[in-house]
Amino acid sequence: ALPANDYQWVLLDSGVKHSLANSAYNDRRRTCEGVAKRSGVTSMREVTPVMLEKIRDDIPERDFQKGLFVLQENSRVLDARTALRNGDYPTLGKLMFESHKGLKEQYGVSCEELDLLVDLARDSKGVLGARMMGGGFGGCTLNLVYKRFSSQFVKSVLPAYREHFGNPCVPYSVEITNGCHTL
């Protein structure tokens, strides 16, 4: 959880439905299974950067990039866990921006609307990080914002998004809770 007085999670719903997510997700899953098999293992969890580099010339560059993204993203997840445990929210934000860049450029699951929301977040005062959520091709961005700037951030993004796409995006403030548990 974030320190309640300092930081806030803000979701921005692009309003774009995940129309390609199922078929595109399956394509990426097959690609990663193929990269793992070509590396001599059964799962991308077992592939190392050295193994991936060894097969680079034997697979299409787009498949190499998808495999590389998975390895980099797995590393980012571990780094994000460490950042959260250490209360290092600037590092967490940096990892979020890096993750979105990989989702966009390497894994190819973002869309113009999500990319604009992340770009607007990057250019906004008080935003530490932003990335798309879920399977891609629409949906929401998750934004890590200094609480004192969250209203200003939302007020600047909404008209910029509407001006660019002609449709609104919808903001949601998020609070992390313990979830289901015995009372």
Side-chain angles (χ1 to χ4, degrees):
L2 300 174
N5 296 330
D6 298 329
Y7 306 95
Q8 183 171 356
W9 292 112
V10 176
L11 293 182
L12 295 174
D13 185 348
S14 69
V16 176
K17 302 299 176 213
H18 304 274
S19 59
L20 299 175
N22 285 341
S23 62
Y25 173 82
N26 289 332
D27 290 344
R28 278 139 188 88
R29 183 183 49 77
R30 278 190 295 275
T31 295
C32 289
E33 288 170 351
V35 168
K37 184 177 181 181
R38 186 77 184 196
S39 297
V41 295
T42 57
S43 167
M44 284 300 296
R45 288 184 303 274
E46 302 170 87
V47 177
T48 66
V50 170
M51 293 165 74
L52 184 60
E53 195 58 47
K54 279 185 181 178
I55 66 165
R56 184 174 193 159
D57 293 337
D58 301 330
I59 60 175
E61 180 64 18
R62 68 182 179 278
D63 292 358
F64 174 81
Q65 289 299 321
K66 286 178 178 68
L68 182 60
F69 168 77
V70 170
L71 298 182
Q72 292 170 338
E73 189 72 353
N74 287 345
S75 179
R76 276 190 289 269
V77 167
L78 297 175
D79 292 345
R81 178 185 66 186
T82 299
L84 276 168
R85 285 181 175 165
N86 295 336
D88 184 357
Y89 303 108
T91 295
L92 178 61
K94 178 179 172 272
L95 292 166
M96 291 172 69
F97 281 130
E98 288 173 3
S99 177
H100 186 80
K101 182 178 181 188
L103 288 160
K104 173 186 174 184
E105 295 176 4
Q106 293 171 284
Y107 213 59
V109 293
S110 191
C111 64
E112 186 179 359
E113 293 84 355
L114 295 173
D115 295 340
L116 177 66
L117 289 172
V118 170
D119 289 344
L120 291 168
R122 184 179 291 107
D123 295 339
S124 294
K125 184 175 183 175
V127 176
L128 285 89
R131 72 182 296 276
M132 59 165 265
M133 293 179 57
F137 306 101
C140 297
T141 60
L142 177 64
N143 303 269
L144 177 58
V145 184
Y146 283 109
K147 193 171 225 173
R148 68 183 181 274
F149 293 107
S150 64
S151 292
Q152 178 182 334
F153 166 59
V154 169
K155 286 178 186 173
S156 68
V157 167
L158 296 181
Y161 186 87
R162 183 183 288 272
E163 181 179 321
H164 193 84
F165 291 109
N167 300 316
C169 67
V170 179
Y172 298 95
S173 292
V174 178
E175 288 186 39
I176 305 297
T177 65
N178 289 332
C180 296
H181 60 280
T182 303
L183 297 175

